[in-house]
Amino acid sequence: QVQLQESGGGLVQAGGSLRLSCAASGGTFSVGAMGWFRQAPGKERQFVARINTNSGRTYYGDSVQGRFTISRDNAENTFYLQMNSLKPEDTAVYYCAADRQIYSTYSRASSYEYWGQGTQVTVSS
C-alpha cells in the first residue's frame, strides 16, 4: 500500500515562496502519477498540479500556472511543489496524492487513490 507524507507547510508573507515535499513509500513502483491538491475551509478540493512519474509530464491548475512548479526525484520517491509569488488566496491545506494510472482525468480528485494527511499553508497579506 502506498503511503504519502507531506511536509514544508507554514506561514509565508504574500509574494514569498515555499516548497512542499511529498515522501512516498510502499508500492511506489505501481504509481503512475503524483498530484497536489488544496482545500480551503468551505471549499471543494482544488487541483493544483500533477506529474507523471516516468515521463515527467506536468499539468497545472489555471490559478497557479506560472507561479507553481511540480517536480520529482524518483530515486528518493519524493515529489515537490515549488510555490512562488504566493497570494493570500493560496491559503489552504495542501494534499499530496497518488494515481496508479496515467490516463485518468488529472484534475479530478477521485482519480487519485492514495492521499497524504495534508499540510497547512497560510499566506498573510
Side-chain angles (χ1 to χ4, degrees):
Q1 180 109 9
V2 175
Q3 293 181 307
L4 306 175
Q5 178 65 60
E6 303 97 334
S7 62
L11 176 63
V12 188
Q13 290 186 325
S17 298
L18 199 65
R19 188 172 79 156
L20 305 183
S21 299
C22 176
S25 62
T28 54
F29 283 106
S30 63
V31 172
M34 300 295 297
W36 288 95
F37 286 76
R38 65 188 184 185
Q39 189 166 25
K43 295 269 194 172
E44 236 185 53
R45 197 160 295 188
Q46 180 187 43
F47 171 73
V48 175
R50 172 188 173 100
I51 184 167
N52 291 354
T53 56
N54 293 132
S55 69
R57 184 174 182 179
T58 58
Y59 307 83
Y60 295 95
D62 291 341
S63 61
V64 305
Q65 183 75 242
R67 298 188 298 122
F68 291 8
T69 303
I70 188 170
S71 62
R72 91 284 200 207
D73 183 346
N74 286 346
E76 299 293 330
N77 292 323
T78 303
F79 295 80
Y80 306 96
L81 183 68
Q82 178 66 46
M83 304 183 292
N84 298 327
S85 302
L86 284 163
K87 306 173 181 180
E89 48 263 46
D90 294 319
T91 296
V93 176
Y94 283 70
Y95 297 90
C96 179
D99 182 2
R100 288 192 175 275
Q101 302 176 355
I102 61 173
Y103 299 112
S104 304
T105 301
Y106 63 84
S107 62
R108 189 171 62 195
S110 61
S111 295
Y112 299 78
E113 292 87 0
Y114 304 99
W115 294 82
Q117 84 291 342
T119 185
Q120 177 70 48
V121 172
T122 302
V123 184
S124 64
S125 58

